[in-house]
Amino acid sequence: MPLERTQESGVRSQNRGPAVHLDKLVKRFGDFVAVDNVSIDVAQGEIFGFLGPNGAGKSTTIRILCGLLAPTSGSATVGGFDVSTQPEDIKKNIGYMSQKFSLYDDLTVQENIEFFGGIYGVSDEKLPERRDYVLKMAGLEGKRSALTRELSGGWKQRLALGCAILHEPPILFLDEPTSGVDPIARRNFWHLIYELSGAGHTVFVTTHYMDEAEYCHRVALMYGGRVIALGSPAELKTSLGAGHLLNLESSNLLGAMAALENKPGILDVAVFGGGLHVKVDDPGAAIPAIYKILQDAGIHVMTLDSITPSMEDVFVGLIEKEEEKKAA
Amino acid sequence: MNLRRTRAIFRKEMLHIIRDPRSLVAALLQPLIMLMLFGWALSLDVDHIPAYVYDQSNSPQSRDLINAFQGSRYFSVTEVTSYHAIEQAIDKRQCLMGVAIPPDFAKQLGQKQPTQVQLLLDGSDSNTASIARGYAESIVALYSGQLQAPVQTAMGNSPARVSAEMRVWYNPDLLSQNFIVPGLIAVIVMIIASNLGALTIAREWENGTMEQLLSTPARPSEVAFGKLFAYFVVGFVDMVIALVVGVFVFHVPLKGSVLLLLVSSCLFLFGSLALGILVSASFRTQLLAYQMGSFISFLPAFLLSGFIYSISNMPRVIQFIALFVPARYYMNIARGIFLKGLGVRALWFELLLMVFYCVSVCYFTTRKLRQKVA
Amino acid sequence: MIRKEFIQALRDPRMRSMLFIPPLLQLLIFGYAVNLDVDNAKIAWMDQDRTPESRELLSQFQGSGRFNIAGFPDSERAMQKMMDGSQVDAVVRVLPGFGRDVVRGRATAVQVLVDGTNSNTASIVSGYASQCIARFSNQAMQKQQKTKMYAATAESGPVHMSMPSVDSRTRVWFNPDLRSRNYFIPGVIVNIITLVTLSLTAMAIVREKEIGTMEQLMVTPIRPPELILGKTLPFVVVGLWDMLLVLAAALLLFHIPFNGSFWLLLGSAMLFLLTTLGAGLFISTVSQTQQQAMMATMIFFQPFFMLSGFTFPIRNMPQVAQWLTFFNPVRYFMEIVRGVFLQGSGVEALWPQMVALAFFGVTILWLSVQRFHKQLE
């Protein structure tokens, strides 16, 4: 579904600095620290992924950036405007899609679009053009007078995204936009995000789907309110700490796991899909050693290859490291 | 306040109202049911009180007295033949009052002696009973006076008779409908405020759309006023129905200015809807908002506003609380315009309070919404 | 199952407070606010005569204990303003020449201008005012009689003087002080039981529907009658508990006389609960959400309550409305409660109402159970 470039020429930003800038941002709810000293810069046009388990502080951060919550300390700017002092200016320059589907169920597709058009101040002359663009982008041309509650999850997400970009905001905040949507709809959705980024929108997106992180230009990993890793997916994978990953397939996975655990040169063993992921210091020395150990244990090895870690490996690895730190 | 954004919210809210016919019907049905009940069925006016008479004298004199009771529209008389029958009828609630005329009634009167009739009253319903008692005692007193007059004149006396010349102002037929229907408008407005207004923001919180709305440039005042205007349309329709039915179906006299009535009703409606929205913004679940809405808008309007029960009879503490019930002041306005034909000059204080009510509630509503943003 | 309901009802703090706070709050508000007595009518005294006789009339009004003189307007305009502003319930106007007429023994009149806006207050106030004036009239007459008699005795020795008169001796049964509180508070008990059991039943079932545990329950081997029994029985207990609570408060706080049998009241309440639980069950079948259940409860409840004779006597209603009230179970329970409280009536007087309650209770419950059943399937 290619989009016409010309329609995207409207995306503009007077701001020459980073699209989103967080400086030592802190948010406390009573004793609970939801966001702990977070500093990030997001460049214009970037797709920035915000990863982390539930309760890591992703949504809180996004809410602060959208002007829905006031930070406890630290500062942040969005499109050059300060979140504490200029929330009204920020709201004109962003599009926000919240975690929960939040359009009006009892309004039709077109009515929802027109409502948000009115709220975002899209002029009457411009609204039909924007409406048609959004309908086309979301693929809802044939359903404009359908009640929103009758749409399936994927359509709803696209409509919600459409409503968030009606006013051509330079910056988009998407809070877990694809939760509860089937894989095909998710892929289509990311396709849209790419196009928006290509057209100059900055996209700030949270997710807990690790495969989605691969689509981002850069990701930040959040855990316990803090950013524990920041970089492009490729950078994060290589910086996984000392260690390489081997994929091992065997007919007796549990036996293999028991045999390999706590052996010299082997950092970690974990079940992954139909095989084991084995983390080692030096693959050159480890591969023959593993073969030997398993042979001694009478376990047949089907394959043993060196692989690049997935984001999930990175994620799990980093969090385990954090937890060890906490325990120590 | 940006008019375009307010208009967008207004339109959206109208669509919600249209798309949810069940709530709309509920909001319109309840007032109509009340209007029917109060206009047609319910009345405190006492007449045709069933009275049983046990005439032991059975003389022309006692017949005269019974005729006096029969001639009054307040009593419908049944004659019985034993005292016990009266007692039984009162026990079974077949009659409210018994009149027992003693056997020597005619004889005593013939000898120009004082005599007595006994009135037996079921006091359970104290209101009806005290009205019945008043009527009955004055019938007896009147009869007594009639007996004395010829005797006095015969004796060459001119007795100083002082009579009461009763004039009833504003509601000469003493119809309780005329009293209740104007007040009912206040109750209806409050029902709409608690049934529709109190839910509107709580629903957006429950559905997560409030967060979406807050991330847009829409300001709290625009959200509040967009919603207010939408419910105002519904409330206005409801109010006009109540007025038209009151005037044309139940023939409540409308002596004052229709324009003044409409203006003050709109003020009250606007303020009350804003109050509903304030409640809604304070409680994030619809259920709680509905309960609190009923508790702070509908209940006081019904009980503490003088709608049926006069405030001056209540204990001091409750009278003090009633000072803060806006419906009470609106009721003064509505009744004043309807029955007394009052104008701005007599009602300026209440009107001023209505304006104050509107402005202050709107202010608190926008402030409450703003707090939730931060 | 029943135990689960009890535990649930008691664990939820909102429910727990529902058991205590609304009944007592209602009793307090209704108990103090609902009152049709006119204890102290505010009147304005407009004396255009200013003679000893007019002052005597004033003291007659003041001494009656029923009037509160709120002002002495001296002009037509001032009086009009007091009436328009609802500052007074009535104006008594003594016209010039009143004193002279009384002294000379001429018939005269006192004007009483009553604000008829509140027709009920107006009838009571005008009754009080006529009584005061009649009393004044009698006293004036007797005084003249006495002076005449003195004159007569002085001239020609004692004269036998007598006058025919009829006096009424009024005896008020059941509520001798004619306090409307005695009449209303028993009614409030009916109100509270109805509202609490009706809304709790409807809400409890709809809540299960809303959060989806109803489906969970239906896949268990529990049978519909057991389900219904388990759902409703706790509210029978709650309803009776509320009744006892309010009853105690009525007796201790408001000193309402209780002349009848407690067990009769309790038995009738149980019969009545059949109706409210059935109606609650019915509301739960027509509502999808708790909020709808709440609104439906109010819409149901109001006409039934209004047409029960609580404030507005059934006798005053148009004939058609009176017939309608025969189909109103609340009416029967209202009659029983008031009968038991004020008249001390027993079964021999109240059995028709009890039969009616039982009939409506069983019918409504049966129909609702049928409907509920169908919905489960």
Side-chain angles (χ1 to χ4, degrees):
Chain A
M1 194 187 344
L3 295 170
E4 289 116 286
R5 279 265 146 187
T6 49
Q7 288 195 319
E8 287 305 315
S9 57
V11 173
R12 71 245 171 270
S13 174
Q14 292 84 6
N15 165 36
R16 295 273 139 245
V20 180
H21 167 77
L22 285 76
D23 188 21
K24 295 181 185 139
L25 196 69
V26 176
K27 177 71 188 176
R28 277 196 203 90
F29 296 107
D31 287 338
F32 175 69
V33 186
V35 179
D36 188 2
N37 211 17
V38 170
S39 302
I40 299 173
D41 279 309
V42 178
Q44 292 189 29
E46 196 173 14
I47 300 178
F48 188 82
F50 224 41
L51 271 66
N54 292 329
K58 296 171 303 198
S59 295
T60 308
T61 310
I62 277 208
R63 287 196 180 122
I64 293 173
L65 295 177
C66 292
L68 295 174
L69 283 172
T72 310
S73 68
S75 66
T77 62
V78 173
F81 298 110
D82 188 275
V83 290
S84 311
T85 56
Q86 299 164 292
E88 299 306 323
D89 295 303
I90 290 178
K91 286 175 184 177
K92 285 179 191 139
N93 286 288
I94 59 164
Y96 170 61
M97 223 182 115
S98 73
Q99 218 165 3
K100 207 173 139 191
F101 171 75
S102 49
L103 297 178
Y104 296 96
D105 256 354
D106 53 345
L107 265 56
T108 63
V109 170
Q110 179 161 349
E111 285 161 355
N112 260 310
I113 294 175
E114 282 168 358
F115 168 65
F116 281 101
I119 289 288
Y120 281 121
V122 179
S123 69
D124 286 342
E125 304 83 64
K126 225 177 155 197
L127 188 61
E129 179 206 321
R130 292 298 302 162
R131 182 189 65 213
D132 293 341
Y133 163 72
V134 165
L135 284 172
K136 189 167 171 216
M137 178 209 82
L140 283 165
E141 288 123 315
K143 299 198 167 184
R144 55 166 68 191
S145 45
L147 282 185
T148 312
R149 76 163 73 93
E150 289 156 7
L151 300 177
S152 70
W155 294 118
K156 283 185 184 174
Q157 296 312 100
R158 292 163 151 253
L159 177 59
L161 181 64
C163 288
I165 60 164
L166 264 176
H167 54 305
E168 302 167 86
I171 303 159
L172 265 175
F173 289 99
L174 310 176
D175 193 4
E176 297 192 4
T178 54
S179 60
V181 174
D182 70 72
I184 296 174
R186 262 169 63 195
R187 184 167 301 174
N188 288 335
F189 191 84
W190 275 94
H191 190 75
L192 274 178
I193 294 179
Y194 256 97
E195 298 199 19
L196 289 170
S197 158
H201 293 274
T202 306
V203 181
F204 194 109
V205 56
T206 75
T207 178
H208 56 240
Y209 291 114
M210 292 309 136
D211 55 334
E212 288 186 348
E214 314 266 1
Y215 294 112
C216 301
H217 296 142
R218 277 197 310 152
V219 297
L221 254 174
M222 227 174 155
Y223 181 74
R226 288 180 304 114
V227 172
I228 57 174
L230 177 68
S232 70
E235 282 165 8
L236 287 183
K237 285 174 196 172
T238 51
S239 72
L240 176 57
H244 292 263
L245 209 56
L246 303 175
N247 183 41
L248 183 148
E249 282 178 22
S250 160
S251 51
N252 181 359
L253 283 181
L254 292 179
M257 194 167 157
L260 290 173
E261 255 169 1
N262 300 322
K263 288 292 181 318
I266 291 171
L267 300 174
D268 188 29
V269 190
V271 179
F272 198 93
L276 289 178
H277 279 190
V278 186
K279 203 155 87 174
V280 296
D281 276 335
D282 172 11
I287 291 175
I290 291 172
Y291 269 117
K292 182 152 188 315
I293 291 166
L294 292 181
Q295 221 156 19
D296 292 349
I299 293 166
H300 175 65
V301 176
M302 289 187 286
T303 50
L304 181 60
D305 309 308
S306 182
I307 53 163
T308 20
S310 70
M311 278 310 287
E312 187 155 348
D313 295 311
V314 176
F315 188 68
V316 172
L318 282 168
I319 285 179
E320 276 176 356
K321 219 188 272 172
E322 282 297 312
E323 280 176 349
E324 276 163 28
K325 249 194 253 167
K326 210 191 272 173
Chain B
M1 204 167 81
N2 180 306
L3 278 181
R4 291 174 45 78
R5 291 197 291 255
T6 314
R7 193 187 62 190
I9 289 170
F10 169 75
R11 277 197 193 143
K12 179 208 80 159
E13 215 60 39
M14 284 310 279
L15 288 169
H16 285 319
I17 294 172
I18 294 164
R19 297 272 157 78
D20 184 9
R22 218 193 278 225
S23 296
L24 185 62
V25 166
L28 296 176
L29 197 64
Q30 210 181 346
L32 273 178
I33 291 175
M34 294 194 78
L35 200 62
M36 285 307 296
L37 280 177
F38 281 106
W40 171 66
L42 303 176
S43 144
L44 285 170
D45 307 334
V46 178
D47 47 14
H48 300 294
I49 300 159
Y52 278 21
V53 179
Y54 175 34
D55 181 3
Q56 299 169 79
S57 159
N58 219 343
S59 56
Q61 285 89 337
S62 65
R63 297 245 57 91
D64 281 349
L65 181 59
I66 294 171
N67 282 341
F69 271 98
Q70 252 156 359
S72 147
R73 73 177 171 110
Y74 301 114
F75 297 99
S76 71
V77 175
T78 311
E79 288 201 49
V80 291
T81 52
S82 74
Y83 195 74
H84 185 65
I86 292 180
E87 289 182 331
Q88 244 184 352
I90 289 182
D91 263 340
K92 288 189 179 157
R93 266 158 298 213
Q94 284 159 346
C95 77
L96 257 184
M97 191 178 75
V99 182
I101 302 177
D104 59 352
F105 183 74
K107 199 178 117 205
Q108 292 277 349
L109 290 181
Q111 294 173 353
K112 297 183 180 169
Q113 291 298 319
T115 181
Q116 280 182 339
V117 293
Q118 199 183 34
L119 299 177
L120 220 61
L121 267 171
D122 175 355
S124 325
D125 176 359
S126 56
N127 186 55
T128 308
S130 47
I131 294 175
R133 176 188 190 163
Y135 291 147
E137 286 178 353
S138 61
I139 286 177
V140 174
L142 209 70
Y143 176 73
S144 177
Q146 280 169 3
L147 285 177
Q148 290 174 1
V151 180
Q152 294 270 14
T153 345
M155 286 169 60
N157 283 344
S158 54
R161 288 246 304 285
V162 182
S163 57
E165 185 190 321
M166 288 289 165
R167 284 191 197 166
V168 179
W169 281 15
Y170 309 130
N171 181 11
D173 302 326
L174 288 179
L175 288 173
S176 59
Q177 270 90 328
N178 291 350
F179 171 62
I180 285 177
V181 171
L184 196 56
I185 297 169
V187 178
I188 288 174
V189 164
M190 282 303 189
I191 291 178
I192 294 180
S194 66
N195 277 11
L196 294 177
L199 299 177
T200 167
I201 287 179
R203 181 174 51 217
E204 297 230 17
W205 280 115
E206 271 184 17
N207 293 344
T209 48
M210 196 63 196
E211 195 173 312
Q212 188 70 53
L213 211 50
L214 292 178
S215 75
T216 69
R219 285 162 185 274
S221 58
E222 292 156 4
V223 174
F225 280 97
K227 283 170 178 291
L228 261 172
F229 287 125
Y231 290 107
F232 186 79
V233 172
V234 180
F236 189 75
V237 170
D238 235 3
M239 210 170 68
V240 169
I241 291 176
L243 283 175
V244 169
V245 171
V247 172
F248 293 103
V249 180
F250 299 123
H251 304 293
V252 178
L254 177 50
K255 290 184 188 147
S257 141
V258 181
L259 186 69
L260 183 62
L261 182 64
L262 279 180
V263 169
S264 48
S265 303
C266 286
L267 281 175
F268 179 63
L269 176 64
F270 203 79
S272 304
L273 287 172
L275 184 68
I277 291 177
L278 177 63
V279 170
S280 195
S282 317
F283 300 95
R284 290 205 182 180
T285 67
Q286 294 187 64
L287 199 62
L288 207 59
Y290 179 76
Q291 282 173 322
M292 284 313 291
S294 304
F295 186 71
I296 71 168
S297 59
F298 170 68
L299 213 64
F302 198 85
L303 286 174
L304 302 178
S305 64
F307 171 52
I308 302 171
Y309 312 105
S310 339
I311 297 171
S312 55
N313 283 340
M314 298 172 189
R316 289 221 177 272
V317 186
I318 303 217
Q319 286 199 26
F320 181 74
I321 296 170
L323 282 179
F324 303 96
V325 175
R328 159 201 191 148
Y329 302 101
Y330 173 73
M331 258 182 230
N332 283 350
I333 298 178
R335 286 178 179 150
I337 295 174
F338 257 101
L339 299 175
K340 303 187 176 179
L342 299 182
V344 180
R345 194 182 287 174
L347 294 171
W348 64 270
F349 179 66
E350 278 90 350
L351 287 167
L352 215 61
L353 278 179
M354 285 296 121
V355 174
F356 174 72
Y357 171 55
C358 265
V359 172
S360 58
V361 176
C362 285
Y363 169 75
F364 282 116
T365 308
T366 35
R367 227 182 69 161
K368 186 86 210 171
L369 281 171
R370 192 169 302 142
Q371 269 174 10
K372 295 286 179 181
V373 182
Chain C
M1 173 71 198
I2 294 169
R3 189 178 313 147
K4 183 210 100 190
E5 278 304 313
F6 267 112
I7 292 170
Q8 237 175 23
L10 287 175
R11 185 175 302 144
D12 184 353
R14 229 176 54 197
M15 280 285 181
R16 210 159 33 192
S17 60
M18 280 279 273
L19 297 183
F20 295 94
I21 296 167
L24 285 179
L25 209 64
Q26 264 194 329
L27 182 72
L28 286 177
I29 296 178
F30 270 92
Y32 285 118
V34 174
N35 186 344
L36 288 171
D37 300 340
V38 181
D39 293 330
N40 257 311
K42 269 191 255 170
I43 58 169
W45 192 265
M46 192 171 176
D47 190 348
Q48 293 174 313
D49 189 44
R50 295 173 196 280
T51 54
E53 285 72 27
S54 70
R55 276 192 286 278
E56 206 177 310
L57 183 64
L58 173 61
S59 59
Q60 180 79 52
F61 268 81
Q62 282 170 326
S64 72
R66 285 184 160 159
F67 294 100
N68 203 338
I69 314 287
F72 297 89
D74 47 9
S75 70
E76 203 79 13
R77 271 202 33 212
M79 179 203 79
Q80 178 90 35
K81 212 177 145 194
M82 290 182 94
M83 286 284 270
D84 281 350
S86 303
Q87 291 160 19
V88 292
D89 299 315
V91 178
V92 178
R93 185 151 69 169
V94 187
L95 297 169
F98 171 79
R100 195 189 55 215
D101 287 345
V102 170
V103 171
R104 292 191 186 164
R106 254 187 248 155
T108 182
V110 178
Q111 252 185 22
V112 183
L113 310 170
V114 185
D115 180 348
T117 314
N118 184 341
S119 52
N120 188 57
T121 310
S123 345
I124 294 175
V125 169
S126 61
Y128 290 163
S130 351
Q131 272 176 20
C132 272
I133 294 172
R135 209 166 294 152
F136 175 81
S137 176
N138 283 344
Q139 282 171 4
M141 221 192 279
Q142 275 165 18
K143 222 165 45 185
Q144 281 178 1
Q145 212 76 60
K146 261 185 209 153
T147 41
K148 281 239 164 102
M149 268 169 63
Y150 274 124
T153 3
E155 278 169 27
S156 56
V159 179
H160 183 73
M161 256 319 268
S162 67
M163 198 48 78
S165 73
V166 184
D167 199 11
S168 42
R169 247 194 29 211
T170 311
R171 265 176 52 200
V172 179
W173 279 11
F174 310 133
N175 182 9
D177 308 328
L178 289 180
R179 275 187 5 169
S180 65
R181 198 159 282 161
N182 292 349
Y183 185 60
F184 284 129
I185 291 204
V188 173
I189 295 182
V190 176
N191 179 8
I192 292 170
I193 299 182
T194 317
L195 201 55
V196 168
T197 52
L198 195 65
S199 62
L200 280 184
T201 316
M203 302 267 273
I205 298 173
V206 173
R207 189 185 53 198
E208 296 237 339
K209 263 203 237 175
E210 236 180 10
I211 56 182
T213 47
M214 197 56 122
E215 247 167 271
Q216 195 67 44
L217 277 176
M218 276 161 54
V219 297
T220 66
I222 194 162
R223 300 217 329 272
E226 296 167 349
L227 180 67
I228 292 167
L229 202 66
K231 278 270 129 200
T232 52
L233 212 56
F235 299 114
V236 174
V237 178
V238 169
L240 292 177
W241 156 255
D242 275 346
M243 191 186 80
L244 294 180
L245 194 73
V246 177
L247 182 65
L251 298 182
L252 298 175
L253 221 61
F254 292 102
H255 307 291
I256 307 299
F258 185 83
N259 299 322
S261 142
F262 171 73
W263 297 110
L264 178 62
L265 187 66
L266 199 67
S268 311
M270 282 178 173
L271 285 181
F272 182 62
L273 285 179
L274 293 178
T275 301
T276 59
L277 296 177
L281 203 60
F282 176 78
I283 290 171
S284 79
T285 61
V286 297
S287 319
Q288 301 303 315
T289 62
Q290 293 187 67
Q291 179 209 331
Q292 283 174 3
M294 193 93 175
M295 281 196 192
T297 306
M298 284 314 288
I299 289 176
F300 256 81
F301 171 73
Q302 245 168 12
F304 279 100
F305 188 64
M306 291 290 167
L307 291 171
S308 70
F310 172 65
T311 311
F312 300 91
I314 293 173
R315 198 181 334 95
N316 294 356
M317 297 173 190
Q319 199 59 50
V320 182
Q322 292 198 28
W323 287 330
L324 283 178
T325 64
F326 284 119
F327 300 99
N328 181 2
V330 186
R331 172 207 166 135
Y332 298 109
F333 190 48
M334 189 72 76
E335 284 174 355
I336 293 176
V337 172
R338 280 179 174 158
V340 170
F341 260 90
L342 294 171
Q343 313 190 341
S345 310
V347 185
E348 63 290 347
L350 293 173
W351 66 266
Q353 278 87 352
M354 295 179 75
V355 170
L357 269 192
F359 169 74
F360 280 110
V362 170
T363 315
I364 291 171
L365 193 59
W366 187 75
L367 288 175
S368 306
V369 166
Q370 291 301 313
R371 204 188 139 83
F372 186 68
H373 229 207
K374 218 175 269 164
Q375 225 177 38
L376 285 186
E377 277 153 13

